[in-house]
Amino acid sequence: MTAKSTRTKPDSLPAFDYQPRTRIVFGLNSVERVGELARGLDAKVVLVVTDPGIVTAGHADRVEHILQSCGLGVLVFDEVHENPTTRDVAKCMTVAKSAGIDTIVGLGGGSSMDTAKGCNFLLTNGGRVEDYWGIGKASRPMLPFIAIPTTAGTGSECQSAALIADEHTHQKMACLDPKAAARVALLDPALTVSQPPLVTAHTGIDAIAHAVETAVTTKRNDLSLMFSHESFKLTVPSFPQVLRNPKDIQARGRMLLGAALAGTAIENSMLGAAHAAANPLTARFDVVHGEAVGILLPHVVRFNARDPAAKRAYAELASAPEIACVSDGLESAVEALIARLESLLNAAQFARSLADLGVKRSKIKLMAEEAAKQWTASFNPRSILQKDFERLYLAAFQPRGNGDGA
Ligand SMILES: [Zn+2]
């Protein structure tokens, strides 16, 4: 019996197998503990993987000094690019190989985490990134990895997947292996204050979309729902607060923890159609991931809510931050959820339609074909075909609030 069918019977709980792999350390200025935590993992020489923006913000220097003051050797690779490719991993490898490192610290957004994980695969197991595309392809143990996010978005710090694109074809390869998961996710809200406003907006909507999609997938279960709902409860009220006042450290903390919990939800229940439809927009038109997912999300909710079990799951999600109350009726709860998502997209000042992002209507058919082949589409609560994706894209060309989904 599938998880999907069991959800339609309230008295039967879907089966799951959850092994927590990542210790979560949360708190203001908790980054000060990185040396102690690395030593606890028997570190001697640490590779810090980060990007130039994090160096400019001063975070890389700070982490380097904390590690050194604990007697550890430190090497810094600070050339991570957004949406990292096999080339980025190869460059990181040349630095890592030269110094006999035994521990890796990923410092930054999802791209730093992905590059660090990709490098860890190759350092410990050899071969090429392509060899680890899929699930559980690494046979040897991997180096201890500490993830320190500086954005509240991907939740990669709580996931065992590395997303690396082929440098030539730009095909995104998801390399999933429990051994690639961080041993420690170090969540310090102070590090996220330096995010530029656009990054706060894009990554915040992405985290919220993770909570929404994981709450309804065919793989959802009672444990994953705890993470989805708690994440949604933390992020929905906090997102407008961090946009209005970027220095609000309490709201930053709720976003950071909410993003990590949504990442844990993904680890347990995967994602859905909004992520499947977003990838072709990024690959073909360079639409930033968070904006692509965000614009599609209300349409996907409307499409999925035609499935009775998904409708109830959305209504229950909307009840977590008290956007709606299930007892007032499922229909109105889903409408309230969509209205709140629209208002969050407006607060983020996202484009009103795909046309405003330079997406061409003539490519809808092609993008729909690609979206239907995405792995994440297979976990969507309602079966979704190419023609459905075509309608979703078409709806997303309407100025927001006027499209009626599929
Ligand atoms: Zn995402």
Side-chain angles (χ1 to χ4, degrees), residues 205 208 239 294-302 323 334-353 395-396 398-405:
I205 288 289
I208 289 166
F239 182 62
I295 285 187
L296 292 159
L297 190 62
H299 303 290
V300 169
V301 171
R302 228 177 260 286
I323 292 171
V334 171
E335 285 308 318
L337 172 65
I338 292 170
R340 181 59 65 93
L341 293 175
E342 298 281 6
S343 95
L344 295 173
L345 295 172
N346 287 335
Q349 298 186 311
F350 277 11
R352 301 219 29 101
S353 88
Q398 304 297 321
R400 265 206 317 279
N402 298 339
D404 70 347

Coordinates of all heavy atoms in Angstrom, one line a residue, residues 205 208 239 294-302 323 334-353 395-396 398-405:
I205 N 11.3 32.5 0.4 CA 10.1 31.9 -0.3 C 10.4 30.4 -0.6 O 9.5 29.6 -0.5 CB 9.8 32.7 -1.6 CG1 9.2 34.0 -1.3 CG2 8.9 31.8 -2.5 CD1 7.7 34.0 -0.7
I208 N 9.7 28.4 2.5 CA 8.3 28.3 2.7 C 7.7 27.3 1.7 O 6.8 26.4 2.1 CB 7.6 29.7 2.6 CG1 8.0 30.5 3.8 CG2 6.1 29.6 2.4 CD1 7.7 32.0 3.7
F239 N 8.7 35.8 7.8 CA 9.2 36.2 6.5 C 8.9 37.7 6.2 O 9.9 38.5 5.9 CB 8.6 35.4 5.4 CG 9.1 35.7 4.0 CD1 10.4 35.6 3.7 CD2 8.2 36.2 3.0 CE1 10.9 35.9 2.4 CE2 8.7 36.5 1.7 CZ 10.0 36.4 1.4
G294 N 8.3 30.0 -6.2 CA 7.2 30.9 -5.6 C 6.1 31.2 -6.6 O 4.9 31.1 -6.2
I295 N 6.5 31.6 -7.8 CA 5.4 32.0 -8.8 C 4.5 30.8 -9.1 O 3.3 31.0 -9.3 CB 6.1 32.6 -10.0 CG1 6.6 34.0 -9.7 CG2 5.1 32.6 -11.2 CD1 7.1 34.8 -10.8
L296 N 5.1 29.6 -9.1 CA 4.3 28.4 -9.5 C 3.5 27.9 -8.4 O 2.4 27.2 -8.6 CB 5.2 27.3 -10.1 CG 5.9 27.7 -11.4 CD1 7.1 26.9 -11.7 CD2 4.8 27.5 -12.6
L297 N 3.9 28.1 -7.1 CA 3.4 27.4 -6.0 C 1.8 27.6 -5.8 O 1.1 26.6 -5.7 CB 4.1 27.9 -4.7 CG 3.8 27.0 -3.5 CD1 4.2 25.6 -3.6 CD2 4.5 27.6 -2.2
P298 N 1.3 28.8 -5.9 CA -0.2 28.9 -5.7 C -1.0 28.1 -6.8 O -2.0 27.5 -6.4 CB -0.5 30.4 -5.9 CG 0.8 31.1 -5.6 CD 1.9 30.1 -6.1
H299 N -0.4 28.1 -8.0 CA -1.1 27.3 -9.0 C -1.0 25.8 -8.8 O -2.0 25.1 -9.0 CB -0.5 27.6 -10.4 CG -0.5 29.1 -10.7 ND1 -1.7 29.7 -11.0 CD2 0.5 30.0 -10.8 CE1 -1.4 31.0 -11.2 NE2 -0.1 31.2 -11.1
V300 N 0.1 25.4 -8.2 CA 0.3 23.9 -7.9 C -0.7 23.6 -6.7 O -1.3 22.5 -6.8 CB 1.7 23.6 -7.6 CG1 1.9 22.2 -7.0 CG2 2.6 23.7 -8.8
V301 N -0.8 24.4 -5.8 CA -1.7 24.2 -4.6 C -3.1 24.0 -5.1 O -3.8 23.1 -4.8 CB -1.6 25.3 -3.6 CG1 -2.7 25.1 -2.5 CG2 -0.3 25.3 -2.9
R302 N -3.6 24.9 -6.0 CA -4.9 24.8 -6.6 C -5.1 23.5 -7.4 O -6.1 22.9 -7.2 CB -5.1 26.0 -7.6 CG -6.4 26.7 -7.3 CD -6.5 27.9 -8.3 NE -6.2 29.1 -7.7 CZ -7.0 29.8 -6.8 NH1 -8.1 29.3 -6.5 NH2 -6.6 30.9 -6.3
I323 N -3.5 30.4 9.8 CA -4.0 31.1 8.6 C -5.5 30.8 8.5 O -6.3 31.6 8.0 CB -3.3 30.7 7.4 CG1 -1.8 31.1 7.4 CG2 -3.9 31.2 6.1 CD1 -0.9 30.6 6.3
V334 N -8.1 26.1 2.2 CA -7.1 26.1 1.0 C -7.1 27.5 0.4 O -6.0 28.0 0.0 CB -7.5 25.0 0.0 CG1 -6.7 25.1 -1.3 CG2 -7.3 23.6 0.6
E335 N -8.3 28.1 0.2 CA -8.3 29.4 -0.3 C -7.5 30.4 0.5 O -6.8 31.3 0.0 CB -9.8 29.9 -0.5 CG -10.5 29.3 -1.6 CD -9.8 29.4 -3.0 OE1 -9.2 30.5 -3.3 OE2 -9.7 28.4 -3.7
A336 N -7.6 30.3 1.9 CA -6.9 31.1 2.8 C -5.4 30.9 2.6 O -4.6 31.8 2.7 CB -7.3 30.9 4.2
L337 N -5.0 29.6 2.4 CA -3.6 29.3 2.2 C -3.1 30.0 1.0 O -2.0 30.6 1.0 CB -3.4 27.8 2.1 CG -2.0 27.2 1.8 CD1 -1.0 27.6 2.9 CD2 -2.1 25.7 1.5
I338 N -3.8 29.8 -0.1 CA -3.4 30.4 -1.4 C -3.3 31.9 -1.3 O -2.3 32.6 -1.7 CB -4.4 30.0 -2.5 CG1 -4.2 28.5 -2.8 CG2 -4.1 30.9 -3.8 CD1 -5.3 28.0 -3.8
A339 N -4.3 32.5 -0.6 CA -4.2 34.0 -0.4 C -3.0 34.4 0.4 O -2.4 35.4 0.1 CB -5.5 34.5 0.3
R340 N -2.6 33.6 1.4 CA -1.5 34.0 2.2 C -0.2 33.8 1.4 O 0.7 34.7 1.5 CB -1.4 33.1 3.5 CG -0.2 33.5 4.4 CD -0.2 34.9 4.8 NE -1.3 35.2 5.7 CZ -1.3 35.1 7.0 NH1 -0.2 34.8 7.6 NH2 -2.4 35.3 7.7
L341 N -0.1 32.8 0.6 CA 1.1 32.6 -0.3 C 1.2 33.8 -1.2 O 2.3 34.3 -1.4 CB 1.0 31.3 -1.1 CG 1.1 30.0 -0.2 CD1 0.8 28.7 -1.1 CD2 2.4 29.9 0.5
E342 N 0.1 34.2 -1.8 CA 0.1 35.4 -2.7 C 0.6 36.6 -2.0 O 1.4 37.4 -2.5 CB -1.3 35.7 -3.3 CG -2.0 34.6 -4.1 CD -1.5 34.5 -5.5 OE1 -0.5 35.3 -5.9 OE2 -2.0 33.7 -6.3
S343 N 0.1 36.8 -0.8 CA 0.6 38.0 0.0 C 2.1 37.9 0.3 O 2.7 39.0 0.3 CB -0.3 38.3 1.2 OG 0.2 37.7 2.3
L344 N 2.6 36.7 0.6 CA 4.0 36.6 0.8 C 4.8 36.9 -0.4 O 5.9 37.5 -0.4 CB 4.3 35.2 1.4 CG 3.7 34.8 2.7 CD1 4.0 33.4 3.1 CD2 4.3 35.7 3.8
L345 N 4.3 36.4 -1.6 CA 5.0 36.7 -2.9 C 5.0 38.2 -3.1 O 6.0 38.8 -3.6 CB 4.3 36.0 -4.0 CG 4.3 34.4 -4.0 CD1 3.5 33.8 -5.1 CD2 5.8 34.0 -4.1
N346 N 3.9 38.9 -2.8 CA 3.8 40.3 -3.0 C 4.8 41.0 -2.0 O 5.5 42.0 -2.4 CB 2.4 40.9 -2.7 CG 1.5 40.5 -3.8 OD1 1.9 40.3 -5.0 ND2 0.2 40.4 -3.5
A347 N 4.9 40.5 -0.8 CA 5.8 41.1 0.2 C 7.3 41.0 -0.4 O 8.1 41.8 -0.2 CB 5.7 40.5 1.5
A348 N 7.5 39.8 -1.0 CA 8.9 39.6 -1.6 C 9.1 40.4 -2.9 O 10.3 40.4 -3.4 CB 9.0 38.1 -1.9
Q349 N 8.1 41.1 -3.4 CA 8.1 41.9 -4.6 C 8.6 41.1 -5.8 O 9.3 41.5 -6.6 CB 9.1 43.1 -4.4 CG 8.6 44.0 -3.3 CD 9.4 45.3 -3.2 OE1 10.6 45.2 -3.1 NE2 8.7 46.4 -3.2
F350 N 8.0 39.8 -5.9 CA 8.3 39.0 -7.0 C 7.5 39.5 -8.2 O 6.5 40.2 -8.1 CB 7.9 37.5 -6.7 CG 8.9 36.7 -5.9 CD1 10.0 37.4 -5.3 CD2 8.8 35.4 -5.7 CE1 11.0 36.7 -4.6 CE2 9.7 34.7 -5.0 CZ 10.8 35.3 -4.5
A351 N 8.0 39.0 -9.4 CA 7.4 39.4 -10.7 C 5.9 38.9 -10.6 O 5.6 37.9 -9.9 CB 8.1 38.7 -11.8
R352 N 5.0 39.6 -11.3 CA 3.6 39.2 -11.2 C 3.3 38.1 -12.1 O 2.3 37.4 -11.9 CB 2.7 40.4 -11.5 CG 3.0 41.6 -10.6 CD 1.7 42.3 -10.2 NE 0.5 41.6 -10.1 CZ -0.1 41.1 -9.0 NH1 0.6 41.2 -7.9 NH2 -1.2 40.5 -9.1
S353 N 4.1 37.9 -13.2 CA 3.8 36.7 -14.1 C 5.1 36.3 -14.7 O 6.1 37.0 -14.7 CB 2.8 37.1 -15.1 OG 3.4 37.7 -16.3
A395 N -1.1 29.3 -16.7 CA -1.8 30.0 -15.5 C -0.8 31.0 -14.9 O -1.2 32.1 -14.5 CB -2.3 29.1 -14.5
A396 N 0.5 30.6 -14.9 CA 1.5 31.5 -14.3 C 1.9 32.7 -15.2 O 2.6 33.6 -14.7 CB 2.7 30.7 -13.9
Q398 N -0.6 34.5 -16.3 CA -1.6 35.5 -15.9 C -1.0 36.3 -14.8 O -0.4 35.8 -13.9 CB -2.9 34.8 -15.4 CG -3.5 33.8 -16.4 CD -4.0 34.5 -17.6 OE1 -4.5 35.6 -17.6 NE2 -3.8 33.9 -18.8
P399 N -1.3 37.6 -14.7 CA -0.9 38.4 -13.5 C -1.4 37.7 -12.3 O -2.5 37.2 -12.3 CB -1.5 39.7 -13.7 CG -1.7 39.8 -15.2 CD -2.0 38.5 -15.7
R400 N -0.6 37.6 -11.2 CA -0.9 36.9 -10.0 C -2.3 37.2 -9.4 O -2.7 38.4 -9.4 CB 0.1 37.1 -8.9 CG 1.2 36.0 -8.9 CD 1.8 35.9 -7.6 NE 2.1 37.1 -6.9 CZ 3.1 37.8 -7.2 NH1 4.0 37.4 -8.1 NH2 3.4 38.9 -6.5
G401 N -2.9 36.1 -9.0 CA -4.3 36.3 -8.3 C -5.4 36.1 -9.3 O -6.5 35.9 -8.9
N402 N -5.1 36.2 -10.7 CA -6.2 36.1 -11.7 C -6.2 34.7 -12.3 O -7.2 34.3 -12.9 CB -6.0 37.1 -12.8 CG -6.1 38.5 -12.2 OD1 -6.6 38.7 -11.1 ND2 -5.5 39.5 -12.9
G403 N -5.1 34.0 -12.2 CA -5.1 32.6 -12.9 C -5.8 31.7 -12.0 O -5.9 31.8 -10.8
D404 N -6.4 30.7 -12.7 CA -7.2 29.7 -11.9 C -6.5 28.3 -11.9 O -7.1 27.3 -11.6 CB -8.6 29.6 -12.3 CG -8.8 28.9 -13.7 OD1 -7.7 28.8 -14.3 OD2 -9.9 28.6 -14.1
G405 N -5.2 28.3 -12.1 CA -4.5 27.0 -12.1 C -4.9 26.1 -13.2 O -5.3 26.5 -14.2

